[in-house]
Amino acid sequence: MQKKIGVLQLSGLIAGAVLGSGVILLPPIAQARLGQWTLAAWLVIMGLGAAFAMVFAKLALAYPGAEGAPIAIRKAFGARAGRLASVYLLCAVCVGPTAVLMTAAKTISHAVHLQPDVETLMAGGLLLLCGWLLTRRITLVGNIAFAASVAVSIVLVAGSLTTICTEPTLPLPGTPLDIAAMGRTLLVLFWAIIGWEIIGNYTMDVRQPKTTIPVATALAVTIICGVYILIAWALAVIPPTQGPYTQGPRSVAAVVTILLGPLADVVIMLITTTLCVCTYLMIVGGVSRLAASLALEHRLPAVLAKRNKHDAPVAALGLLVGLQFISLLLLHLKILSLEDIIAAANAFFLSNSLLAVAAAMRLIPPWPLRMACALLCLGFVSLLSFSPPWILVGLGAVTCAVLAQEAGLLQRKHTKERA
């Protein structure tokens, strides 16, 4: 039985993860901040996103392995930097997916009018479902992600095109550009291109990587760019007095209202839940492979390398799911807030991405890609600078601990060699 994934399955995993809940949250934010300049902002971000995707596809092909981007980081900057990137990603995934599943739970709760107290219970149920799916064959996970990505893309594209056809105008800017507002908005929209760094973790699960990865990347980029730009266009042409969206920022539900009428909110609930599940499957599936790979190298406990008959890294997966359950419990007990979890995960994800893009800038020769990497690095550093001080202190503590541990390992190695 075929245990490796092909173009459609890999593109589904990528598209679902990169779109994530951002496709629901980000377009209304951009529209509220920039108005007529929204489409220009999305064109800039999608251009950078295509470059980001190309960089990580090239890294995945040049430095394949279940560990993913840290392989290239180690090649560019040494073993310490590679280990640091791995730890950043593991720290982010210990808590970050909790926020993704809570987004889905809150959407469901709002749509069916449930009490907020049950949201963490629903998130826990989704966590169990996602954990179980990740213990199945990678081909099953890929098929589910592809089908979900296609369904979501069809609904959003159809709703956007229907809305655009009712107001067939191109929203060209008619007012001067507010450079400060554009800069702040682009900073937020960087989140629309986070997720591509996980592609390297799947290189060992892909059929014919040299063909599959570039084609799947191109297909996923096309889907992601098409969905985001059409939604932004549709939001820009919706009359401000239309329907139930006359107060406050326009939501993405407004884009599908003309197509689906009163079902729009229910459909948005299903779309948000589906995309959040796809994001979880892609990110946690990739990082569990990273943890299993590190266990094989004796950098994590050897038990975490265990796989089941479907070749899923069940031990590493169980550890991650357990830690995520703990973060859900802390959230339920109000010891942590959702904002705390998001802020912590964002800082570690950004730090990992910053190292990976810097490695690509050093390892990939063409100067246009190096320029794109430099811009991405600048964006990531800017985003990190907005993190709360306690998060930066925690990030610094983890960094120092990992570097100290690596220095100790290196010293012991040299001592043994002399003996």
Side-chain angles (χ1 to χ4, degrees), residues 6 9 94 98 102 107 121 123 129 144 160 206 221 227 239 250 266 268 300-301 310 323 344 382 390 411:
Q9 295 156 326
C94 284
T98 301
M102 280 299 297
T107 304
L121 294 177
L129 172 63
I144 291 171
S160 298
V206 173
V221 166
V227 170
R250 301 166 188 169
V266 175
I268 289 297
L300 286 177
H310 301 301
L323 291 171
S382 300
W390 68 271
Q411 185 175 7

Side-chain angles (χ1 to χ4, degrees), residues 232-311:
W233 187 346
L235 282 176
V237 300
I238 293 174
T241 57
Q242 181 174 303
Y245 303 99
T246 56
Q247 303 296 323
R250 301 166 188 169
S251 75
V252 173
V255 169
V256 296
T257 296
I258 296 175
L259 182 67
L260 300 174
L263 294 176
D265 285 327
V266 175
V267 172
I268 289 297
M269 175 195 74
L270 294 174
I271 286 174
T272 303
T273 303
T274 299
L275 289 173
C276 288
V277 168
C278 285
T279 299
Y280 185 97
L281 294 177
M282 174 72 170
I283 301 296
V284 178
V287 174
S288 64
R289 284 162 172 75
L290 163 63
S293 175
L294 291 175
L296 285 174
E297 297 173 2
H298 306 291
R299 293 181 178 275
L300 286 177
V303 68
L304 295 179
K306 183 180 178 182
R307 292 176 178 257
N308 65 7
K309 64 180 181 180
H310 301 301
D311 202 34

Side-chain angles (χ1 to χ4, degrees), residues 6 21 26 31 35 104 122 137 139 142 148 160 181 207 209 212 250 342 358 369 372:
S21 56
L26 294 176
Q31 178 63 34
M122 283 192 293
R137 296 190 313 274
T139 49
S160 298
R207 297 194 299 269
T212 299
R250 301 166 188 169
I342 291 171
L369 280 178

Side-chain angles (χ1 to χ4, degrees), residues 80 398-410 412:
R80 293 184 186 181
V398 169
T399 302
C400 291
V402 171
L403 293 178
Q405 184 184 31
E406 284 295 305
L409 289 172
L410 187 61
R412 286 194 293 272

